């Protein structure tokens, strides 16, 4: 059965929208995890180390394993660590 060109075009648009939404969810989730890492260490905000943030993000990123697989989880953790470090240095 042949799918019409207009239906194929609509399916392609849908795929692009789904991908964009997935990217947005990953971006927002990594930012939230970064904020969480900083807040959980906020008792020592002037002394928060990058190692503390990395350790926390590594531990807590497991909550996202059902949604992110393989390399996606690594990229997610890398982004969360990068965002956390950016926030940390901007606050000093």
């Amino acid at each position: 059965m042949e799918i019409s060109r207009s239906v194929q075009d609509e399916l392609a648009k849908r795929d692009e929208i789904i991908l964009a939404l997935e990217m947005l969810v990953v971006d927002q989730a990594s930012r939230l995890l970064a904020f969480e890492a900083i807040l959980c260490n906020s008792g020592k905000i002037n002394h928060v180390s990058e190692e503390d943030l990395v350790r926390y993000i590594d531990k807590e990123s497991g909550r996202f394993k059902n949604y992110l697989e393989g390399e996606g989880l690594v990229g997610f953790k890398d982004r969360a660590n990068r965002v956390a470090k950016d926030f940390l240095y901007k606050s000093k």
Side-chain angles (χ1 to χ4, degrees):
M1 182 169 118
E2 185 77 22
I3 298 177
S4 72
R5 182 73 180 147
S6 62
V7 171
Q8 289 176 352
D9 290 344
E10 288 302 313
L11 291 173
K13 286 180 193 175
R14 183 208 59 192
D15 290 348
E16 289 175 11
I17 291 170
I18 290 170
L19 179 60
L21 290 170
E22 287 176 345
M23 291 170 62
L24 182 61
V25 166
V26 169
D27 177 64
Q28 293 304 306
S30 63
R31 288 176 179 272
L32 289 172
L33 185 56
F35 281 135
E36 182 182 316
I38 291 171
L39 288 174
C40 287
N41 289 288
S42 64
K44 51 181 182 173
I45 193 67
N46 292 327
H47 300 40
V48 174
S49 70
E50 288 183 22
E51 291 82 20
D52 290 340
L53 296 176
V54 169
R55 221 179 349 268
Y56 184 89
I57 289 170
D58 280 344
K59 183 179 99 182
E60 294 299 321
S61 64
R63 298 188 324 238
F64 298 91
K65 283 186 180 178
N66 291 336
Y67 307 104
L68 303 169
E69 299 174 2
E71 294 297 317
L73 186 61
V74 172
F76 171 77
K77 289 186 340 186
D78 290 345
R79 177 163 176 68
N81 282 310
R82 197 170 49 251
V83 169
K85 290 173 192 173
D86 288 346
F87 290 140
L88 182 63
Y89 292 124
K90 286 181 182 176
S91 69
K92 291 184 178 182

